[in-house]
Short mmCIF file of all heavy atoms in Angstrom, two decimals:
data_model
loop_
_atom_site.label_atom_id
_atom_site.label_comp_id
_atom_site.label_asym_id
_atom_site.label_seq_id
_atom_site.Cartn_x
_atom_site.Cartn_y
_atom_site.Cartn_z
N MET A 1 125.13 -119.92 80.32
CA MET A 1 124.92 -120.18 78.87
C MET A 1 123.54 -119.75 78.46
O MET A 1 123.26 -119.20 77.25
CB MET A 1 125.09 -121.58 78.57
CG MET A 1 126.52 -122.10 78.68
SD MET A 1 127.70 -120.94 77.84
CE MET A 1 127.18 -121.21 76.09
N LYS A 2 122.51 -119.83 79.37
CA LYS A 2 121.24 -119.44 79.04
C LYS A 2 121.16 -117.89 78.86
O LYS A 2 120.49 -117.28 77.99
CB LYS A 2 120.19 -119.80 80.19
CG LYS A 2 119.80 -121.32 80.09
CD LYS A 2 118.61 -121.52 81.10
CE LYS A 2 118.15 -122.99 80.85
NZ LYS A 2 117.02 -123.30 81.82
N ALA A 3 121.90 -117.18 79.73
CA ALA A 3 121.92 -115.73 79.61
C ALA A 3 122.60 -115.28 78.35
O ALA A 3 122.26 -114.41 77.72
CB ALA A 3 122.74 -115.15 80.84
N THR A 4 123.64 -116.15 77.99
CA THR A 4 124.45 -115.79 76.75
C THR A 4 123.64 -116.07 75.49
O THR A 4 123.64 -115.24 74.64
CB THR A 4 125.75 -116.75 76.69
OG1 THR A 4 126.45 -116.40 77.94
CG2 THR A 4 126.49 -116.31 75.56
N ILE A 5 122.86 -117.15 75.46
CA ILE A 5 122.15 -117.55 74.26
C ILE A 5 121.00 -116.68 73.84
O ILE A 5 120.51 -116.48 72.78
CB ILE A 5 121.64 -118.93 74.39
CG1 ILE A 5 121.54 -119.60 72.97
CG2 ILE A 5 120.33 -119.01 75.12
CD1 ILE A 5 122.87 -119.90 72.26
N LEU A 6 120.65 -115.79 74.94
CA LEU A 6 119.50 -114.84 74.77
C LEU A 6 119.95 -113.75 73.85
O LEU A 6 119.18 -113.05 73.14
CB LEU A 6 119.17 -114.18 76.08
CG LEU A 6 118.35 -115.11 76.96
CD1 LEU A 6 118.04 -114.48 78.40
CD2 LEU A 6 117.00 -115.56 76.41
N GLN A 7 121.27 -113.51 73.58
CA GLN A 7 121.84 -112.54 72.72
C GLN A 7 121.85 -112.94 71.26
O GLN A 7 122.30 -112.25 70.38
CB GLN A 7 123.21 -112.17 73.22
CG GLN A 7 123.41 -111.59 74.62
CD GLN A 7 122.46 -110.32 74.73
OE1 GLN A 7 122.43 -109.45 73.93
NE2 GLN A 7 121.80 -110.27 75.91
N PHE A 8 121.32 -114.17 71.06
CA PHE A 8 121.35 -114.74 69.62
C PHE A 8 119.95 -115.10 69.27
O PHE A 8 119.17 -115.67 70.17
CB PHE A 8 122.27 -115.86 69.58
CG PHE A 8 123.71 -115.55 69.83
CD1 PHE A 8 124.21 -115.70 71.17
CD2 PHE A 8 124.56 -115.09 68.88
CE1 PHE A 8 125.46 -115.28 71.51
CE2 PHE A 8 125.86 -114.73 69.19
CZ PHE A 8 126.40 -114.92 70.55
N ASP A 9 119.57 -114.93 68.08
CA ASP A 9 118.19 -115.34 67.58
C ASP A 9 118.19 -116.76 67.26
O ASP A 9 118.09 -117.12 66.03
CB ASP A 9 117.86 -114.41 66.42
CG ASP A 9 116.35 -114.69 66.06
OD1 ASP A 9 115.61 -115.36 66.84
OD2 ASP A 9 115.98 -114.36 64.90
N LYS A 10 118.48 -117.75 68.23
CA LYS A 10 118.53 -119.15 67.88
C LYS A 10 117.71 -119.89 69.05
O LYS A 10 118.27 -120.51 69.83
CB LYS A 10 120.04 -119.50 68.00
CG LYS A 10 120.96 -118.92 67.02
CD LYS A 10 120.68 -119.40 65.54
CE LYS A 10 121.21 -120.82 65.40
NZ LYS A 10 121.06 -121.40 64.07
N PRO A 11 116.43 -119.78 68.81
CA PRO A 11 115.49 -120.50 69.87
C PRO A 11 115.59 -121.92 69.80
O PRO A 11 115.07 -122.60 70.76
CB PRO A 11 114.15 -119.90 69.48
CG PRO A 11 114.26 -119.63 68.00
CD PRO A 11 115.61 -119.18 67.75
N ASP A 12 116.22 -122.57 68.79
CA ASP A 12 116.16 -124.01 68.70
C ASP A 12 117.41 -124.59 69.29
O ASP A 12 117.62 -125.80 69.06
CB ASP A 12 115.98 -124.38 67.23
CG ASP A 12 117.05 -123.83 66.34
OD1 ASP A 12 117.71 -122.90 66.73
OD2 ASP A 12 117.23 -124.40 65.24
N VAL A 13 118.21 -123.94 69.94
CA VAL A 13 119.40 -124.45 70.60
C VAL A 13 119.01 -125.48 71.74
O VAL A 13 118.22 -125.03 72.57
CB VAL A 13 120.43 -123.32 71.10
CG1 VAL A 13 121.48 -124.02 71.94
CG2 VAL A 13 120.98 -122.72 69.98
N LYS A 14 119.55 -126.58 71.71
CA LYS A 14 119.22 -127.67 72.75
C LYS A 14 120.49 -127.77 73.81
O LYS A 14 121.60 -127.77 73.32
CB LYS A 14 118.90 -129.05 72.12
CG LYS A 14 117.91 -128.96 71.13
CD LYS A 14 116.58 -128.63 71.70
CE LYS A 14 115.49 -128.59 70.55
NZ LYS A 14 114.17 -128.08 71.04
N PHE A 15 120.06 -127.85 75.04
CA PHE A 15 121.10 -128.05 76.11
C PHE A 15 121.08 -129.51 76.58
O PHE A 15 120.02 -130.07 76.81
CB PHE A 15 120.82 -127.20 77.28
CG PHE A 15 121.05 -125.71 77.05
CD1 PHE A 15 120.09 -124.86 76.52
CD2 PHE A 15 122.36 -125.18 77.25
CE1 PHE A 15 120.33 -123.59 76.36
CE2 PHE A 15 122.57 -123.82 76.97
CZ PHE A 15 121.49 -123.03 76.55
N THR A 16 122.25 -130.09 76.73
CA THR A 16 122.39 -131.43 77.35
C THR A 16 123.34 -131.21 78.56
O THR A 16 124.51 -130.82 78.35
CB THR A 16 122.99 -132.40 76.37
OG1 THR A 16 122.06 -132.43 75.21
CG2 THR A 16 123.05 -133.79 77.06
N VAL A 17 122.83 -131.50 79.74
CA VAL A 17 123.66 -131.23 80.88
C VAL A 17 124.20 -132.59 81.42
O VAL A 17 123.43 -133.56 81.63
CB VAL A 17 122.71 -130.54 82.13
CG1 VAL A 17 123.63 -130.37 83.30
CG2 VAL A 17 122.21 -129.36 81.55
N TYR A 18 125.51 -132.63 81.81
CA TYR A 18 126.14 -133.82 82.31
C TYR A 18 126.72 -133.24 83.67
O TYR A 18 127.78 -132.52 83.76
CB TYR A 18 127.22 -134.30 81.48
CG TYR A 18 126.73 -134.97 80.24
CD1 TYR A 18 126.60 -134.21 79.04
CD2 TYR A 18 126.39 -136.22 80.19
CE1 TYR A 18 126.17 -134.75 77.95
CE2 TYR A 18 125.90 -136.93 79.02
CZ TYR A 18 125.82 -136.09 77.83
OH TYR A 18 125.32 -136.63 76.76
N SER A 19 126.18 -133.54 84.83
CA SER A 19 126.62 -133.17 86.08
C SER A 19 127.18 -134.27 86.91
O SER A 19 127.13 -135.45 86.60
CB SER A 19 125.37 -132.59 86.89
OG SER A 19 124.41 -133.56 87.14
N MET A 20 128.01 -133.88 87.88
CA MET A 20 128.70 -134.84 88.82
C MET A 20 129.60 -135.64 88.04
O MET A 20 129.77 -136.94 88.32
CB MET A 20 127.69 -135.59 89.59
CG MET A 20 126.63 -134.90 90.32
SD MET A 20 127.30 -133.66 91.49
CE MET A 20 125.78 -132.85 92.12
N VAL A 21 130.34 -135.20 87.01
CA VAL A 21 131.26 -135.91 86.32
C VAL A 21 132.53 -136.10 87.17
O VAL A 21 133.26 -135.16 87.41
CB VAL A 21 131.63 -135.25 84.86
CG1 VAL A 21 132.62 -136.12 84.25
CG2 VAL A 21 130.32 -135.11 84.14
N ASP A 22 132.84 -137.31 87.61
CA ASP A 22 133.94 -137.49 88.52
C ASP A 22 134.92 -138.62 88.07
O ASP A 22 135.75 -138.96 88.92
CB ASP A 22 133.41 -137.80 89.92
CG ASP A 22 132.49 -138.96 90.04
OD1 ASP A 22 132.25 -139.69 88.86
OD2 ASP A 22 131.92 -139.33 91.00
N ARG A 23 134.71 -139.19 86.91
CA ARG A 23 135.67 -140.14 86.43
C ARG A 23 136.25 -139.84 85.05
O ARG A 23 135.40 -139.33 84.23
CB ARG A 23 134.99 -141.55 86.40
CG ARG A 23 134.49 -142.06 87.82
CD ARG A 23 134.07 -143.57 87.54
NE ARG A 23 133.54 -143.94 86.38
CZ ARG A 23 132.26 -143.84 85.97
NH1 ARG A 23 131.40 -143.40 86.87
NH2 ARG A 23 131.77 -144.21 84.90
N GLU A 24 137.39 -140.16 84.75
CA GLU A 24 138.04 -139.73 83.49
C GLU A 24 137.39 -140.63 82.34
O GLU A 24 137.09 -139.93 81.28
CB GLU A 24 139.55 -140.14 83.61
CG GLU A 24 140.22 -139.68 82.22
CD GLU A 24 141.75 -139.87 82.32
OE1 GLU A 24 142.26 -139.72 83.45
OE2 GLU A 24 142.39 -140.02 81.23
N ASP A 25 137.02 -141.98 82.53
CA ASP A 25 136.42 -142.60 81.46
C ASP A 25 134.97 -142.10 81.17
O ASP A 25 134.46 -142.09 80.04
CB ASP A 25 136.28 -144.07 81.84
CG ASP A 25 135.47 -144.31 83.14
OD1 ASP A 25 135.51 -143.53 84.00
OD2 ASP A 25 134.85 -145.39 83.14
N GLN A 26 134.29 -141.61 82.21
CA GLN A 26 132.98 -141.00 81.95
C GLN A 26 133.02 -139.73 81.22
O GLN A 26 132.31 -139.47 80.28
CB GLN A 26 132.40 -140.67 83.39
CG GLN A 26 131.01 -140.04 83.43
CD GLN A 26 130.64 -139.60 84.79
OE1 GLN A 26 131.45 -139.53 85.64
NE2 GLN A 26 129.31 -139.24 84.98
N LEU A 27 134.13 -138.97 81.53
CA LEU A 27 134.30 -137.65 80.73
C LEU A 27 134.61 -137.93 79.39
O LEU A 27 134.05 -137.22 78.50
CB LEU A 27 135.49 -136.90 81.49
CG LEU A 27 135.95 -135.56 80.85
CD1 LEU A 27 134.70 -134.60 80.82
CD2 LEU A 27 137.08 -134.96 81.55
N VAL A 28 135.51 -138.85 79.10
CA VAL A 28 135.84 -139.13 77.66
C VAL A 28 134.72 -139.66 76.83
O VAL A 28 134.48 -139.26 75.74
CB VAL A 28 137.02 -140.24 77.63
CG1 VAL A 28 137.26 -140.65 76.25
CG2 VAL A 28 138.30 -139.52 78.27
N SER A 29 133.92 -140.53 77.55
CA SER A 29 132.67 -141.05 76.87
C SER A 29 131.67 -139.90 76.47
O SER A 29 131.08 -139.83 75.43
CB SER A 29 131.93 -142.04 77.79
OG SER A 29 130.69 -142.38 77.21
N ILE A 30 131.63 -138.87 77.40
CA ILE A 30 130.74 -137.71 77.08
C ILE A 30 131.25 -136.81 75.91
O ILE A 30 130.58 -136.43 75.07
CB ILE A 30 130.58 -136.85 78.39
CG1 ILE A 30 129.83 -137.57 79.49
CG2 ILE A 30 129.95 -135.44 78.00
CD1 ILE A 30 129.88 -136.86 80.79
N LEU A 31 132.70 -136.70 75.94
CA LEU A 31 133.17 -135.96 74.87
C LEU A 31 133.05 -136.68 73.53
O LEU A 31 132.94 -136.03 72.51
CB LEU A 31 134.72 -135.77 75.18
CG LEU A 31 135.03 -134.81 76.46
CD1 LEU A 31 136.50 -134.94 76.82
CD2 LEU A 31 134.61 -133.42 76.08
N ASN A 32 133.11 -137.97 73.48
CA ASN A 32 132.96 -138.73 72.34
C ASN A 32 131.49 -138.45 71.72
O ASN A 32 131.35 -138.39 70.51
CB ASN A 32 133.13 -140.31 72.56
CG ASN A 32 134.60 -140.60 72.74
OD1 ASN A 32 135.53 -139.94 72.25
ND2 ASN A 32 134.92 -141.67 73.44
N ASN A 33 130.60 -138.39 72.64
CA ASN A 33 129.11 -138.10 72.25
C ASN A 33 129.16 -136.60 71.69
O ASN A 33 128.35 -136.42 70.75
CB ASN A 33 128.23 -138.30 73.40
CG ASN A 33 127.98 -139.69 73.81
OD1 ASN A 33 128.23 -140.49 72.97
ND2 ASN A 33 127.65 -139.92 75.06
N ALA A 34 129.80 -135.79 72.29
CA ALA A 34 129.85 -134.42 71.86
C ALA A 34 130.37 -134.29 70.49
O ALA A 34 129.90 -133.56 69.66
CB ALA A 34 130.58 -133.51 72.80
N LYS A 35 131.46 -135.07 70.23
CA LYS A 35 132.02 -135.06 68.87
C LYS A 35 131.01 -135.59 67.85
O LYS A 35 130.91 -135.06 66.78
CB LYS A 35 133.22 -136.05 68.88
CG LYS A 35 133.96 -136.13 67.57
CD LYS A 35 135.12 -137.03 67.60
CE LYS A 35 135.87 -137.17 66.26
NZ LYS A 35 137.01 -138.15 66.27
N ILE A 36 130.28 -136.71 68.15
CA ILE A 36 129.24 -137.22 67.26
C ILE A 36 128.23 -136.15 66.99
O ILE A 36 127.74 -136.04 65.85
CB ILE A 36 128.66 -138.56 67.83
CG1 ILE A 36 129.63 -139.54 67.88
CG2 ILE A 36 127.40 -138.92 66.96
CD1 ILE A 36 129.23 -140.80 68.69
N ASP A 37 127.76 -135.43 68.01
CA ASP A 37 126.81 -134.43 67.89
C ASP A 37 127.26 -133.11 67.38
O ASP A 37 126.39 -132.16 67.08
CB ASP A 37 126.03 -134.11 69.21
CG ASP A 37 125.25 -135.34 69.63
OD1 ASP A 37 124.82 -136.15 68.70
OD2 ASP A 37 124.91 -135.49 70.78
N ASN A 38 128.53 -133.01 67.22
CA ASN A 38 129.22 -131.73 66.82
C ASN A 38 128.73 -130.56 67.70
O ASN A 38 128.36 -129.49 67.25
CB ASN A 38 128.97 -131.45 65.32
CG ASN A 38 129.83 -130.28 64.85
OD1 ASN A 38 131.09 -130.09 65.33
ND2 ASN A 38 129.32 -129.48 63.93
N SER A 39 128.80 -130.87 69.02
CA SER A 39 128.23 -129.85 70.05
C SER A 39 129.22 -128.78 70.39
O SER A 39 130.40 -129.11 70.34
CB SER A 39 127.70 -130.61 71.23
OG SER A 39 126.71 -131.45 70.92
N PHE A 40 128.81 -127.66 70.92
CA PHE A 40 129.56 -126.79 71.61
C PHE A 40 129.61 -127.10 73.06
O PHE A 40 128.68 -127.67 73.58
CB PHE A 40 128.88 -125.38 71.48
CG PHE A 40 129.67 -124.15 72.11
CD1 PHE A 40 130.60 -123.54 71.37
CD2 PHE A 40 129.43 -123.99 73.51
CE1 PHE A 40 131.32 -122.44 72.05
CE2 PHE A 40 130.20 -122.93 74.07
CZ PHE A 40 131.16 -122.22 73.31
N ILE A 41 130.83 -127.07 73.70
CA ILE A 41 130.96 -127.49 75.03
C ILE A 41 131.24 -126.40 75.87
O ILE A 41 132.15 -125.61 75.77
CB ILE A 41 132.12 -128.57 75.19
CG1 ILE A 41 131.76 -129.75 74.26
CG2 ILE A 41 132.29 -128.98 76.55
CD1 ILE A 41 132.93 -130.81 74.15
#
């Protein structure tokens, strides 16, 4: 994604990393946050 974003003049893009996601409830909670932030996943 860092390599990809270099092709766009959008220096203010913010990254939020969720690693070691190993539970379904954890995943759904993250997706709910993404919906609130209207994020690209």
Side-chain angles (χ1 to χ4, degrees):
M1 294 312 297
K2 280 187 173 181
T4 305
I5 207 68
L6 290 175
Q7 300 300 319
F8 300 89
D9 186 18
K10 298 287 287 184
D12 57 342
V13 172
K14 304 298 182 183
F15 289 92
T16 303
V17 181
Y18 294 92
S19 59
M20 310 301 177
V21 179
D22 58 2
R23 300 192 322 273
E24 185 173 331
D25 62 327
Q26 179 188 16
L27 177 58
V28 172
S29 175
I30 294 169
L31 291 172
N32 287 336
N33 289 336
K35 179 181 177 181
I36 294 171
D37 290 338
N38 191 31
S39 296
F40 183 91
I41 298 173

